[in-house]
Amino acid sequence: MTGYNLRGMWTLYRHEMARAIRTSGQSIVAPVLTTALYFVVFGTAIGSRMATVGTVDYGAFIVPGLIMMSVLTQSISNASLAIYFPKFTGTVYEILSAPLGYGEALVAYVGAAATKSVIIGLIILATAFFFVDLHIVHPVAMLGFLVLTAVTFSLMGFIIGVWAGNFEQLGFVPMLVVTPLTFLGGAFYAVDMLPEPWRTVTLFNPVVYLISGFRWAFFGQGDVPVLLSLGMTGLFMVAAIAAIAWIFRTGYRIKP
Amino acid sequence: MTNILSVQGLHKTYKSGVVALHPTDLDVRKGEIFALLGPNGAGKTTLISLICGLVMPSGGHVAVGGQDHVKRFRDARRLIGLVPQEMNVDIFTTPMRAVRLTRGLFGKKPDDAYLEQLLRDLSLWDKRDARLIELSGGMKRRVLIAKALSHEPEVLFLDEPTAGVDVELRRDMWKLVHRLRERGVTIILTTHYIEEAEEMADRVGVINKGRLLLVDDKDALMARMGKRQLIVTLQSPLAALPASLDRPGLALGGEGTTLTYSFDSHAGDTGIADLMRALQAEGIAFSDLDARRSSLEDIFVDLVAEDRSRAA
């Protein structure tokens, strides 16, 4: 029988999730604590002097950005570690020799990484309700953006995990690229609060579109039109899938 | 007998230009124990890795159980269990979780009774819930074997199964191999010990510098390879071999002080007793006797030389 090895895919997904559950203390407490600190510093201390952005209370305004920031970093670190660790220990031989298609392995790894970061995103959202008054205008779209972003950045994390040759490189991209892009992507401010030319420069930052779309789902307004956000997110996803297809075709750093 | 594994023109050249495997043809029969014999760096692991999907082939075809290993890789790989040479284990998992994972990855339904028997057979049952980081090297290797067998493969690859393994595990491994063979499992193992190939295999392939030099039945090969030499150090030098000593395989050397007798250790009559009697009859006294087996290295030198002369 040919067909797909769905049982294999499901096994790998569950294996990845089980590892997260065994270490759920660290994987949940850390992002929740970090976010709570952001709320205290930005929302309460600074926000009390900022009043509102547009019509939205500043404390509430930063919630989508904070969630996005965690989801981006969690997605990347979950997915990159998930593939880097087997490469590092050599256990990747098991995945490569299993009757598992590339697509199946990818769905399992990326699916598990994205699931974890969506859960963390939702926990942070729940935490936010303790600090600020929130009303979500488009809850379904909010969930949609959350999942889409988690999947897209898990795909990117997968690429980083395949590319990384050591633990330093594994931390390099999230530290030096993702965190700055997120900070400068409008997590704590609206893009139109920036002076030119920074406002235009910012539009080259992919994270702007993610946060803007997510913020639209919360408050009904974003920095850019929601369809543009959706289109750009889709574009990143397609680009990541294309890169991974190339990795699998050439065996780049997985299969010599 | 049908072939469970068929390799045609398989070769691998790395990007660096290193040729790890020259175009290779190999057929392995269903149910046999096949030993791939060669020194370190000969290409044994490369050949196995190419077949199992760990390395991208530069060309050639592989079929496992008649299924092409690229076009129908799921069907081909389902039949294969692989025990890698390196201790590639997730040290944070447990033996039970490890075998369940592999079985699932290979698309097999859970079967706790089978897995229990497997872990018992490998003396891992008592440690089934211990983290691998707490287990000894030998135990970790047992876990690797258990994983490879967790999905009931029809072909088992053992890459250097006894390298750096203690006597007990080596004995268990050989017992296991014979038990698996009785169940009809085909076993392909790599080794650089002639003794191991001799002990375990039905057929042997000799590989060196990325070339499969020959494949033959073990007995035929051992007869050819298993030459032994008896070296007799004489008390006083001889000018020439006496006529009564003249026989095939005997040569006088070391300026008349040593007699070297090459014989086939697998023959019914090695001719040693006869030689000893002849020496006594001639009244030739000797001070030392030394027997040595042609080493793997000698054999490779011979085979490679043969290979070259054939190519020339």
Side-chain angles (χ1 to χ4, degrees):
Chain A
M1 57 172 200
T2 308
Y4 294 103
N5 182 1
L6 295 180
R7 191 191 299 277
M9 185 172 94
W10 178 234
T11 302
L12 185 57
Y13 176 85
R14 270 197 349 217
H15 173 76
E16 287 297 307
M17 289 305 290
R19 209 186 47 198
I21 289 164
R22 281 201 301 278
T23 56
S24 57
Q26 31 182 316
S27 44
I28 289 173
V29 171
V32 169
L33 184 70
T34 314
T35 315
L37 289 174
Y38 277 117
F39 277 125
V40 171
V41 174
F42 287 97
T44 317
I46 297 175
S48 60
R49 292 155 193 259
M50 294 249 326
T52 58
V53 178
T55 56
V56 182
D57 185 60
Y58 186 72
F61 178 83
I62 64 169
V63 171
L66 283 179
I67 294 174
M68 273 295 164
M69 200 156 79
S70 277
V71 169
L72 297 187
T73 41
Q74 287 294 318
S75 297
I76 285 186
S77 75
N78 286 339
S80 60
L81 200 62
I83 186 66
Y84 178 77
F85 195 65
K87 258 184 17 168
F88 178 71
T89 58
T91 51
V92 72
Y93 87 88
E94 182 170 37
I95 307 297
L96 292 175
S97 66
L100 203 61
Y102 290 138
E104 290 157 348
L106 185 69
V107 168
Y109 276 126
V110 167
T115 307
K116 286 180 253 177
S117 48
V118 165
I119 290 171
I120 287 168
L122 292 175
I123 290 173
I124 292 171
L125 179 61
T127 315
F129 281 106
F130 284 101
F131 292 90
V132 290
D133 213 12
L134 262 182
H135 174 72
I136 302 167
V137 179
H138 308 287
V140 177
M142 187 277 292
L143 210 58
F145 263 109
L146 193 63
V147 171
L148 206 59
T149 308
V151 170
T152 304
F153 276 75
S154 295
L155 288 166
M156 292 182 180
F158 188 85
I159 297 171
I160 293 167
V162 169
W163 164 80
N166 54 51
F167 277 101
E168 284 73 31
Q169 290 180 340
L170 199 62
F172 177 85
V173 175
M175 279 281 289
L176 273 113
V177 180
V178 178
T179 307
L181 283 184
T182 317
F183 263 91
L184 302 175
F188 301 109
Y189 54 84
V191 170
D192 57 16
M193 289 162 76
L194 289 174
E196 283 291 2
W198 300 114
R199 193 188 302 176
T200 311
V201 170
T202 295
L203 293 179
F204 289 96
N205 178 356
V207 178
V208 165
Y209 299 92
L210 302 174
I211 293 181
S212 168
F214 200 47
R215 190 169 283 142
W216 169 86
F218 271 81
F219 309 119
Q221 61 190 64
D223 295 319
V224 295
V226 63
L227 284 178
L228 184 59
S229 289
L230 199 61
M232 291 301 266
T233 313
L235 202 66
F236 301 144
M237 192 191 268
V238 169
I241 290 173
I244 291 170
W246 176 83
I247 284 173
F248 284 150
R249 210 179 49 246
T250 60
Y252 175 77
R253 293 202 179 175
I254 299 189
K255 210 166 151 173
Chain B
M1 227 190 302
T2 53
N3 293 331
I4 187 94
L5 173 72
S6 171
V7 173
Q8 284 172 344
L10 189 66
H11 63 104
K12 176 66 186 179
T13 306
Y14 284 104
K15 279 204 194 81
S16 58
V18 174
V19 181
L21 190 71
H22 292 278
T24 298
D25 296 324
L26 173 67
D27 287 318
V28 176
R29 298 166 191 158
K30 191 168 168 50
E32 75 174 340
I33 299 180
F34 185 88
L36 211 48
L37 182 64
N40 292 326
K44 304 186 295 283
T45 301
T46 301
L47 179 54
I48 287 190
S49 300
L50 284 165
I51 295 168
C52 295
L54 306 187
V55 171
M56 287 235 179
S58 301
H61 295 281
V62 176
V64 187
Q67 311 282 354
D68 185 271
H69 87 142
V70 176
K71 286 190 203 111
R72 299 176 68 88
F73 70 94
R74 289 190 185 84
D75 301 293
R77 288 189 198 160
R78 247 181 253 276
L79 304 175
I80 295 177
L82 167 65
V83 182
Q85 181 180 353
E86 305 289 334
M87 205 68 93
N88 298 328
V89 292
D90 173 358
I91 53 171
F92 301 114
T93 195
T94 67
M96 197 59 187
R97 280 209 297 262
V99 290
R100 281 200 180 125
L101 170 67
T102 311
R103 192 178 166 88
L105 285 176
F106 276 75
K108 280 268 188 180
K109 280 197 192 106
D111 183 346
D112 281 349
Y114 172 79
L115 293 181
E116 176 177 344
Q117 190 55 50
L118 180 63
L119 292 182
R120 283 188 190 282
D121 286 349
L122 285 160
S123 315
L124 283 168
W125 183 247
D126 294 339
K127 303 276 186 191
R128 63 188 178 278
D129 294 323
R131 296 206 306 168
L132 297 195
I133 197 169
E134 300 159 19
L135 301 185
S136 68
M139 283 298 206
K140 286 193 195 110
R141 197 170 278 272
R142 284 170 196 262
V143 172
L144 286 174
I145 299 167
K147 281 168 79 75
L149 292 172
S150 66
H151 59 282
E152 302 162 66
E154 287 187 31
V155 186
L156 180 67
F157 285 90
L158 292 162
D159 197 359
E160 298 280 352
T162 56
V165 152
D166 62 23
V167 180
E168 194 189 354
L169 178 51
R170 186 179 299 214
R171 211 170 41 226
D172 282 4
M173 191 112 64
W174 290 12
K175 265 193 260 171
L176 179 77
V177 163
H178 287 293
R179 226 172 26 232
L180 287 169
R181 197 251 283 275
E182 278 162 29
R183 264 193 253 153
V185 177
T186 308
I187 291 150
I188 299 168
L189 58 95
T190 72
T191 180
H192 55 262
Y193 302 116
I194 286 194
E195 294 75 15
E196 200 160 277
E198 191 170 1
E199 174 99 12
M200 296 169 101
D202 299 312
R203 286 199 309 148
V204 177
V206 178
I207 187 169
N208 191 33
K209 294 189 175 152
R211 287 183 206 276
L212 190 60
L213 298 174
L214 66 93
V215 174
D216 210 342
D217 283 341
K218 178 188 68 187
D219 295 338
L221 195 67
M222 284 305 153
R224 203 171 135 189
M225 289 177 142
K227 287 269 188 281
R228 288 177 68 107
Q229 288 184 324
L230 183 71
I231 294 154
V232 184
T233 308
L234 305 177
Q235 278 184 352
S236 45
L238 286 176
L241 268 184
S244 64
L245 285 180
D246 193 22
R247 64 197 64 218
L250 189 69
L252 184 64
E255 294 171 347
T257 57
T258 52
L259 282 172
T260 306
Y261 177 56
S262 304
F263 62 97
D264 177 4
S265 58
H266 294 268
D269 178 16
T270 57
I272 294 175
D274 194 46
L275 175 66
M276 289 295 131
R277 274 193 297 273
L279 283 173
Q280 203 164 22
E282 285 288 337
I284 298 172
F286 47 88
S287 57
D288 193 20
L289 271 181
D290 191 17
R292 66 182 200 103
R293 182 184 202 124
S294 44
S295 69
L296 189 54
E297 218 169 297
D298 299 338
I299 289 162
F300 283 123
V301 169
D302 288 353
L303 280 173
V304 172
E306 233 174 82
D307 197 46
R308 283 219 189 94
S309 63
R310 222 178 315 151

